[in-house]
Amino acid sequence: MSDPRRPLHPNHSAPSRIARALTIGWSDTPRGRLLLRRAIARLISVALRIRSRSFQRNAVASALVVAPHPDDETFGCGGAVALLVRNRAAVQVVFITDGSASHPAHPTAAPDAIAARRKAEARSATGILGVDWERVAFLDERDGTLAGLDTGRAREVAGKIAAMLARLAPEAILLPCRLDGSSEHDASFALVSRALQLAQIRPRLLEFPVWSWWNPLLLLRPMFACRRVWHLDVRGVLDVKARAIASYASQTDPIAPETVPALPSGFASMFLCGEEFLFER
């Protein structure tokens, strides 16, 4: 399984080949690819804004945020979380994996050390967003394994999520889009779907993009397929979201002796534009 936290080869997809032809090869450079991604993301943001309705901060009184990895909650819906908390909504966050696979083959930082660091970062980030620590849970599944869980293990993980759902009975679940460009995110959506069947509850499902912003053409499917697209103006809490993102230094900064961060250059800045979108089917 390819790691979505590493840039993909620019010539592997048809859109990449088309972009290469249209830009006479300029998009093959790292800066060119980043500028092209941002340009496409801006265009799709405009279309999403036209398609969407404003999501009111008092729209739900309770929500469970499901993050496949520590940082997905902040990148994808950190502004929404901060606004909901400010409106006194009961917000819970659950992290499914330990995030230990973000630095494969690092010469000094072992996976367990990475996992411990990312849990500490999650503690800091959720606190900055306003979520009480007792409302944060970790399932500690090994990062990189969700898409390959056997039937028994998948049932066990779904059962843990179902138990949380039965206990919390949230009005809404916020989770990454079902086709978000990451096998771990797709697997997390499947686990939550199974958990909902086990818990026999039907909260609103509000899907937020994470890796879709890095491959923005993926956003075309939910834009047209979803019954509702919601838009949130998060400029009032953008400083809070920026500080929460900065908490995840293990992802945005290199861990010595490596000189390149786990996340692609320019990835984090794509989430500081002052707006977020939620998709509801």
Side-chain angles (χ1 to χ4, degrees), residues 191-250:
L191 288 169
V192 171
S193 298
R194 187 169 187 174
L196 287 169
Q197 293 177 346
L198 293 172
Q200 296 185 338
I201 61 173
R202 296 187 65 182
R204 296 174 66 181
L205 283 185
L206 301 171
E207 303 173 37
F208 56 82
V210 181
W211 282 100
S212 295
W213 283 120
W214 192 243
N215 296 287
L217 292 180
L218 292 173
L219 291 168
L220 293 176
R221 182 190 296 267
M223 181 169 66
F224 292 111
C226 289
R227 181 168 47 96
R228 291 193 180 120
V229 179
W230 299 104
H231 167 263
L232 294 91
D233 182 344
V234 300
R235 287 174 295 180
V237 292
L238 196 57
D239 59 329
V240 174
K241 183 174 181 177
R243 286 190 289 116
I245 287 176
S247 296
Y248 287 109
S250 71

Side-chain angles (χ1 to χ4, degrees), residues 3 5 68-70 96-106 109-119 140-145 184 250-251 255:
D3 185 349
R5 293 173 182 271
H69 311 92
I96 298 181
T97 77
D98 59 9
S100 60
S102 65
H103 291 74
H106 192 283
D112 287 348
I114 294 292
R117 180 167 177 174
R118 296 192 72 181
K119 182 176 284 191
D140 291 323
E141 289 300 305
R142 203 66 170 174
D143 189 7
T145 66
E184 297 272 278
S250 71
Q251 307 304 297
I255 298 179

